[in-house]
Amino acid sequence: MNFDVLRLKDKNLIVNPKNASWVVADSEAQKLILKGKIDGLPKLLKKRVLESGITKDEGMPRKKNHPLLGIFCTTTACNLRCKYCYASAGEKNDFMSIEVAKKCVDFLLQSKSNHVTFVLHGGEPSLLGKKWIREFLTYVAKKKNTHKNKLIKVKMQTNATLMDDDLAKMLAHFGVKVGISIDGIPQVNDLTRPLADGKGATDLVLKGLKNLQNNGLCPGAIIVVSKANFKKIKESMQFLKSKGIHSFKLISLSQLGRSAKNKKYQITSKQYFTAIKDAIDFCLKSDSKLQLYPVYYLIYNLLNKDRPYMCLRSPCGAVNSVLAFDTKGNIYPCDDLVGFKQYILGNVFDTSLEKVLKNRTSKMFQERTVDKIDDCMECTWRNFCGGGCSGRVLLTYGKLNHCSDICDYYRTIFPYLIELIYKDKEKVAEKMMSCALE
């Protein structure tokens, strides 16, 4: 059995990479653990070793999943011109017809999963108009009545600039969970996410946020971490918290779309770690409980063997848990790949879900595990991070047999989180793990 041993200040971190187990021990205990002589350990440490499974020579379970998340890329149009947009939204103006949208709903409901979520995405989905959105939500509501064996949800990811009271009221009526995209303080958000005419959008975003809140919705915020804001994360989270936001998702800037052409906003793994570390510190010191993603799932993966978050498991969620649809009803492994014709798995009008899952391209994603990725095979953290986003890897490096583009970040964040857990597990649990799994 192979263990990796890392220094954690005055202690040793012992990791079994094969089954994602770890313990912290002093040098004497380390010797006993590595020799398999755990009966000689102190009682509490022995219990921790047994609970962790670190001495077991077994791999991670590779569960077969059925798609449960549908990303509806409803339009390529957008009223913003985000400097880094991975989809280059706003450069075209294609819209998904309501007929295509309904067909996509029917298609995903073929899934054997007992819960299915439809996400209205873009571009900017509110540009579809209230009539379209109401007809879509009404259709889904009818499907809830005919598919009572499934838990069916709808989410919407929006820039909120067009979110008036009527639209917010409609979304609340149908129980839609809303996420808004905002990069923090106005000075940053107006720079990185301006309107199409170049003017700042933050005032409109905050007005839309208020309309959502006034109708009983509690949107979370997606913050894209870039060179413009990675040193201002605490300030940004404080600003958004003061506006009533308590759920944050910090994602690293991809190197796709406009970001590939405008590299000034791209960040390194080290800079992303700086941002996440500051966000964690902000949450731990907050006077109220905050939700911080994907850190929640990183901690979850350190404390559990199952992998509920599709972007941190092996194989990842592409095809296995998620499918994306473009405006014409073409099907893709995930939304990162929408628009790349070579990755179309079929069309909702002329294929079935079972045929899509047996597609040769689908098999590529279904079989991409860290045990087969050259760069991951010997990595300590391979079964904690899952090898990273397959879509981003494929588009960044031109192949699936490659580690994540933020691999160095994972190598840094996991030991950091383990140190926090080792110091004060109860505080980490209270401040970082009090929210429910999404």
Side-chain angles (χ1 to χ4, degrees), residues 1-5 14-17 33-36 54-56:
M1 191 180 310
N2 295 320
F3 296 99
D4 289 349
V5 180
I14 308 164
V15 183
N16 181 340
I33 293 170
L34 296 185
K35 291 178 181 178
I54 194 170
T55 57
K56 294 180 180 180

Side-chain angles (χ1 to χ4, degrees), residues 135-385:
E135 187 170 348
F136 176 81
L137 295 176
T138 301
Y139 187 76
V140 173
K142 290 179 180 177
K143 291 297 176 179
K144 289 181 181 181
N145 290 326
T146 57
H147 292 72
K148 292 186 177 180
N149 61 324
K150 292 184 187 294
L151 177 62
I152 301 175
K153 297 181 180 179
V154 179
K155 296 183 179 181
M156 182 176 183
Q157 188 63 37
T158 175
N159 61 41
T161 57
L162 302 173
M163 187 62 62
D164 61 18
D165 184 68
D166 288 341
L167 179 54
K169 197 181 299 302
M170 182 200 306
L171 297 176
H173 172 76
F174 283 98
V176 178
K177 185 170 182 179
V178 180
I180 68 169
S181 301
I182 182 171
D183 286 350
I185 55 176
Q187 299 94 306
V188 171
N189 191 67
D190 286 342
L191 173 67
T192 59
R193 301 179 57 82
L195 293 165
D197 62 7
K199 294 179 181 177
T202 305
D203 287 345
L204 291 174
V205 176
L206 296 179
K207 185 177 179 181
L209 170 63
K210 196 67 178 174
N211 285 329
L212 289 165
Q213 293 169 334
N214 287 342
N215 283 281
L217 295 172
C218 301
I222 286 185
I223 300 175
V224 176
V225 181
S226 70
K227 198 160 284 184
N229 65 357
F230 82 93
K231 291 182 179 179
K232 300 173 182 177
I233 291 300
K234 287 185 179 181
E235 187 181 354
S236 293
M237 290 179 71
Q238 180 58 50
F239 171 75
L240 294 174
K241 181 170 174 276
S242 73
K243 302 300 180 182
I245 292 178
H246 290 83
S247 178
F248 304 88
K249 185 174 183 180
L250 275 63
I251 59 176
S252 66
L253 181 73
S254 76
Q255 300 176 33
L256 309 173
R258 289 196 194 108
S259 179
K261 302 172 184 176
N262 187 9
K263 298 180 184 295
K264 65 183 289 188
Y265 294 105
Q266 291 183 8
I267 57 168
T268 63
S269 287
K270 185 177 180 180
Q271 290 167 334
Y272 184 46
F273 172 73
T274 296
I276 295 296
K277 184 179 177 182
D278 284 348
I280 292 169
D281 188 60
F282 182 83
C283 290
L284 290 175
K285 293 177 179 176
S286 174
D287 57 358
S288 58
K289 292 179 181 179
L290 304 174
Q291 298 174 1
L292 181 61
Y293 300 101
V295 174
Y296 175 97
Y297 295 109
L298 297 174
I299 297 173
Y300 188 95
N301 281 11
L302 285 169
L303 300 176
N304 302 275
K305 290 291 188 291
D306 62 313
R307 298 290 183 256
Y309 184 45
M310 65 183 68
C311 296
L312 286 172
R313 66 169 176 244
S314 176
C316 80
V319 177
N320 299 295
S321 297
V322 62
L323 289 171
F325 308 96
D326 69 13
T327 58
K328 304 301 181 186
N330 293 316
I331 309 157
Y332 299 82
C334 75
D335 56 304
D336 280 342
L337 298 170
V338 169
F340 292 89
K341 293 181 179 180
Q342 63 269 41
Y343 303 119
I344 292 177
L345 305 175
N347 187 282
V348 293
F349 287 96
D350 57 26
T351 191
S352 67
L353 179 57
E354 285 306 312
K355 287 182 180 178
V356 163
L357 296 180
K358 294 176 182 177
N359 182 294
R360 189 169 73 172
T361 301
S362 295
K363 293 292 183 184
M364 290 167 45
F365 290 89
Q366 292 165 340
E367 296 171 2
R368 180 185 180 260
T369 65
V370 290
D371 310 306
K372 300 176 183 177
I373 302 170
D374 295 339
D375 299 315
C376 298
M377 288 180 183
E378 302 302 322
C379 179
T380 301
W381 308 108
R382 61 184 182 269
N383 280 311
F384 294 91
C385 80

